[in-house]
Amino acid sequence: MEIRAPKTDINLKSSYAVQSYWQQAGIGTEVAEVPPQRTNDREYRSTFPGVELIRPSASVDTFTSVKRDNIPTAATNWAGGNRQRYASAELDGLIDRYLTTIPPGPRMDVVRQVVNFTSDQLIWMGVIFDAPVRLTANRLKDVPAGIGWQPQEWDLAA
C-alpha cells in the first residue's frame, strides 16, 4: 500500500513511522513523497492508490468537505476537498443539518453525531497533533487566550 505524503520534514517522518507500524502488522507499504511541483496538482492528489498523510487545517467544521458533492472527479477538473472519496447519504444529511442549525446547543448535538459517525466509519484518522504553542512576554497584558491577533488591544504592564 502506498503512503503518500507532501515533502515536508514532519509529514515524511510521520509517514515512515506509520510505514514501520504497518509493516510490523504485516501490511506491505511504500512511502511516496509528493514533490513540491505536484502539491497543487489536483488530479495527482485526488487519485492516489493508497493513503495520504497530510496536515490539514482543523476547525470545528472541517468535516463539511466530506460531502459527496465535494468528491474531486475529472468532470469537476479534480476540484473538491473530499480526496478520500468517501460517499454517504447519511453523513451528507448530518452535514446539511449542521450547516442549517443555528442554536449552539442543537448545532453541537449534530457535531457530536458527525464525530461519532466519522469515528465509527474511520473516514480519516488523526496521526499528528500539534500543540498550539505561543510565547508571550510577561510584560504584556490583555493578550487573549488562544490566538492573539489583536495586538492593538494589548498593553504593557507597568
Side-chain angles (χ1 to χ4, degrees):
M1 177 175 303
E2 180 179 285
I3 301 172
R4 236 179 228 188
K7 199 172 181 174
T8 62
D9 191 48
I10 187 114
N11 284 332
L12 291 177
K13 285 180 180 178
S14 300
S15 296
Y16 289 116
V18 168
Q19 178 187 37
S20 174
Y21 287 128
W22 286 4
Q23 286 178 339
Q24 289 174 32
I27 302 169
T29 60
E30 175 183 323
V31 172
E33 300 176 7
V34 176
Q37 303 88 328
R38 301 213 72 181
T39 299
N40 294 321
D41 181 338
R42 294 188 307 217
E43 180 177 3
Y44 174 77
R45 297 291 299 276
S46 300
T47 58
F48 54 92
V51 298
E52 183 178 33
L53 194 140
I54 59 171
R55 294 174 66 205
S57 60
S59 68
V60 73
D61 60 356
T62 300
F63 63 84
T64 59
S65 69
V66 189
K67 287 186 71 169
R68 288 180 293 177
D69 60 4
N70 253 344
I71 295 174
T73 63
T76 63
N77 196 24
W78 306 104
N82 186 352
R83 290 202 312 253
Q84 61 268 34
R85 298 170 175 259
Y86 185 82
S88 164
E90 183 179 352
L91 182 58
D92 283 357
L94 287 170
I95 292 169
D96 288 339
R97 277 186 40 218
Y98 169 78
L99 293 172
T100 57
T101 302
I102 297 172
R107 189 173 170 104
M108 288 311 295
D109 287 339
V110 177
V111 169
R112 284 185 200 89
Q113 292 174 49
V114 169
V115 168
N116 190 4
F117 185 94
T118 58
S119 299
D120 181 62
Q121 298 297 309
L122 198 59
I123 297 168
W124 54 75
M125 179 174 60
V127 176
I128 304 170
F129 298 94
D130 295 321
V133 176
R134 180 181 75 213
L135 303 175
T136 305
N138 62 0
R139 294 181 30 204
L140 291 174
K141 64 180 189 173
D142 299 328
V143 178
I147 299 175
W149 292 115
Q150 289 111 358
Q152 70 278 8
E153 296 176 7
W154 303 354
D155 204 354
L156 288 175

